[in-house]
Amino acid sequence: QVHLVESGGGLVQAGGSLRLSCAASGSIFTINTMGWYRQAPGKQRELVALITSSTNYADSVKGRFTISRDNAKNTVYLQMNSLKPEDTAVYYCNANIKRRGYAYGDEYWGQGTQVTVSS
């Protein structure tokens, strides 16, 4: 079994900052990609940021959000600065993880953490 546990969401005023964390645990052999997605009410889930050997960001968060990864802790972070009301959403951690004894990786999701930005 593999689990992703997120933390760090909350309520913040526009212009403020939050840092999300997501720790992977379980029978992990290697972690390929890690990333953050978000889903606002009435909207589809969208990619926010992805990290492999490089990073990729949604245009809407470039220059404001930074994704990073601590491989020793199997943890991915999302530093969110200059937050806007339109960043309000449930943020989900995602990882492609190869388990011990398996030939390929599988996709795993965290439970989601609410981020609310007030105007």
Side-chain angles (χ1 to χ4, degrees), residues 63-108:
R64 300 187 298 121
F65 291 10
T66 302
I67 189 170
S68 61
R69 180 172 165 178
D70 185 334
N71 291 329
K73 296 181 179 180
N74 291 334
T75 299
V76 63
Y77 306 95
L78 186 68
Q79 178 66 43
M80 305 185 293
N81 299 327
S82 302
L83 282 160
K84 304 175 181 179
E86 50 263 44
D87 294 317
T88 295
V90 178
Y91 284 70
Y92 296 91
C93 176
N94 171 270
N96 184 285
I97 296 174
K98 183 173 178 294
R99 296 166 61 186
R100 299 181 189 280
Y102 287 74
Y104 302 99
D106 287 313
E107 296 291 321
Y108 294 90

Side-chain angles (χ1 to χ4, degrees), residues 18 20 34-38 46-69 76-81 87 91:
L18 283 174
L20 305 182
M34 299 190 84
W36 291 93
Y37 289 72
R38 67 186 181 187
E46 64 175 359
L47 175 67
V48 176
L50 200 64
I51 184 166
T52 55
S53 56
S54 61
T55 57
N56 289 284
Y57 297 93
D59 288 342
S60 59
V61 306
K62 281 181 182 177
R64 300 187 298 121
F65 291 10
T66 302
I67 189 170
S68 61
R69 180 172 165 178
V76 63
Y77 306 95
L78 186 68
Q79 178 66 43
M80 305 185 293
N81 299 327
D87 294 317
Y91 284 70

